[in-house]
Amino acid sequence: MSFTPEVVPGSAGPNVDTLVDVYRSADRDVLADLYLGEQNGWNDQVKDVFVVLSASRSGSSLIFNALTSTGEVAAPGGEHEPWLTLSENKFPFLSSDEMDGEINQKELLLRLFRNDLLVRDRRLEAKDVIDPVRNRLIIRRQSDNEGFARLTTSILNRGNILNTEWGMVTQDIGKLAVKPMPVEAGQFGDSAYGMPLENPPFIDQPLAHIATEDELHKLPLLFKSPSDAYRPGFYESLFPNARINYIHLSRGFVQTANGLMDGWQMGETDFISNPVGITKPLRIEDYSITDMSRIYWCFDLFNGWEDYTDSSLVEVAVNQWLRAHKSIVENFEPMERLTFEDFYSDPPAFYARLSQLTGIDTSSYDWNKSIMGTETPTQRRWLKRASLFRNLKTHLPGALIDEVVELQGHLGHSMEEETWR
């Protein structure tokens, strides 16, 4: 389903009629700068694909990092959402994260995926990391070309890079200037501003090389993005000869909604995703208080989001949990399910189950490392909003609560608060 938004007259650039047009123009510029090595038909050789399906704020980044750190999978350097935007498979080219029908510009999307499928390593020649780093910086709205040139020289001068040294490189990357994100219609398409292609916060670029043809044939691919919950059939279309292994990671609605609300209420740009408010500013209670937060949605964009632009934040967050898991349950083949609560209640069993599902041993991974967190990981963080979650009937429609209770039970989560870890 395409989406052609209305732009406020006189506020857009002189050659831009719609937000779609602005994105198309910006995407062409980005694509011209990216490294896109040619390799046709590589996707037909892929044998195994693992996809972690979850709602946002459910622990999928932790699983992704644990599995990729082993070097036994090929996976993107971060989430793959920017490549979908560049191939017109996300907002504003689609009305939501839901994909229904053919993949737009599939060959372009496959090229974008191919050059971001990386294998993490403990030691690499510096030249092997330049293209992946450069591609990520381009979609992260890198604005300091001289700074990037200095960074490239600094990396190349290292010769060989050990994993223990890579932290210094990522610190240097973090110091590079990033263009501000637009908050007015006229700023979209202005070269002084960057298009929102990759959603913050940015994952540290890993020490990794672009997967070789042999590695793509032998190693499984790994993908994770909460928005994949709305894309049944997507990976089957991209990798027609592969076995698609779905891992459904669930977490109770209170813990998830609490984490989502934390993300929505953090800094102005911490977890923003789509500039849906450019045509009709958001008025979400407890969120829409600045120019930035009246323009940008946070996290995944479920189908029907337009009905919640004037809602309370808790209603939006609960719907993000509900819509994601409901879509997973209804639209995907039976799959294995992990619950993030088990990560706290029985960590060894959780690690062992993940290894059993994937065939990848993650026992040496530092599971205490915080990944994409809003706070230091602790149990029962929802208690800071205890009054709200204990009195949902005063904050949410009864029909929505009924749906939550039903799905919570289907996923194996309890409505008893002592289980809300």
Side-chain angles (χ1 to χ4, degrees), residues 370-382:
S370 178
I371 303 292
M372 303 287 280
T374 55
E375 294 181 9
T376 302
T378 55
Q379 298 186 48
R380 299 174 68 81
R381 279 166 42 190
W382 64 269

Side-chain angles (χ1 to χ4, degrees), residues 26 141 179-184 186-196:
R141 305 178 305 282
K179 293 182 181 179
M181 296 178 71
V183 294
E184 299 176 3
Q187 294 171 348
F188 285 81
D190 186 331
S191 60
Y193 296 85
M195 293 300 289

Side-chain angles (χ1 to χ4, degrees), residues 158-364:
R158 292 175 180 271
N160 290 320
I161 301 179
L162 298 175
N163 194 43
T164 52
E165 303 171 336
W166 189 244
M168 292 183 286
V169 177
T170 58
Q171 287 179 11
D172 290 340
I173 292 173
K175 294 174 184 177
L176 295 178
V178 175
K179 293 182 181 179
M181 296 178 71
V183 294
E184 299 176 3
Q187 294 171 348
F188 285 81
D190 186 331
S191 60
Y193 296 85
M195 293 300 289
L197 297 177
E198 182 174 19
N199 302 342
F202 301 140
I203 297 174
D204 283 344
Q205 182 72 20
L207 178 62
H209 65 271
I210 297 176
T212 65
E213 185 176 356
D214 186 56
E215 286 172 327
L216 288 178
H217 185 66
K218 293 180 179 179
L219 298 179
L221 309 188
L222 174 67
F223 297 95
K224 85 92 191 171
S225 170
S227 295
D228 280 342
Y230 308 106
R231 298 169 182 149
F234 175 68
Y235 290 101
E236 287 82 355
S237 179
L238 290 179
F239 306 107
N241 300 321
R243 179 176 56 183
I244 312 298
N245 308 277
Y246 291 108
I247 299 173
H248 183 182
L249 176 65
S250 69
R251 193 180 191 185
F253 86 98
V254 165
Q255 306 92 292
T256 304
N258 182 70
L260 285 163
M261 292 176 74
D262 282 347
W264 278 84
Q265 293 179 325
M266 283 191 73
E268 279 193 324
T269 62
D270 280 334
F271 287 94
I272 60 177
S273 58
N274 301 290
V276 298
I278 197 66
T279 58
K280 181 185 176 183
L282 299 173
R283 294 183 176 85
I284 297 174
E285 182 184 350
D286 296 327
Y287 171 66
S288 304
I289 56 177
T290 68
D291 288 343
M292 186 73 71
S293 60
R294 281 188 284 268
I295 294 298
Y296 288 91
W297 189 266
C298 291
F299 302 107
D300 54 294
L301 193 65
F302 57 81
N303 190 32
W305 60 268
E306 300 94 335
D307 296 333
Y308 296 90
T309 57
D310 295 284
S311 297
S312 66
L313 184 55
V314 65
E315 186 171 4
V316 173
V318 169
N319 266 286
Q320 285 183 309
W321 174 87
L322 178 72
R323 302 301 184 91
H325 287 298
K326 194 170 183 180
S327 180
I328 293 169
V329 170
E330 292 178 353
N331 295 313
F332 290 83
E333 292 297 321
M335 64 196 74
E336 298 288 348
R337 183 177 299 133
L338 292 174
T339 63
F340 197 66
E341 284 78 0
D342 290 343
F343 173 75
Y344 288 115
S345 63
D346 192 350
F350 182 87
Y351 314 151
R353 184 61 178 146
L354 180 61
S355 295
Q356 181 184 17
L357 293 176
T358 61
I360 298 170
D361 182 8
T362 60
S363 59
S364 62

Side-chain angles (χ1 to χ4, degrees), residues 54 87 145 156 192:
S54 71
S87 58
N145 291 327
L156 291 174

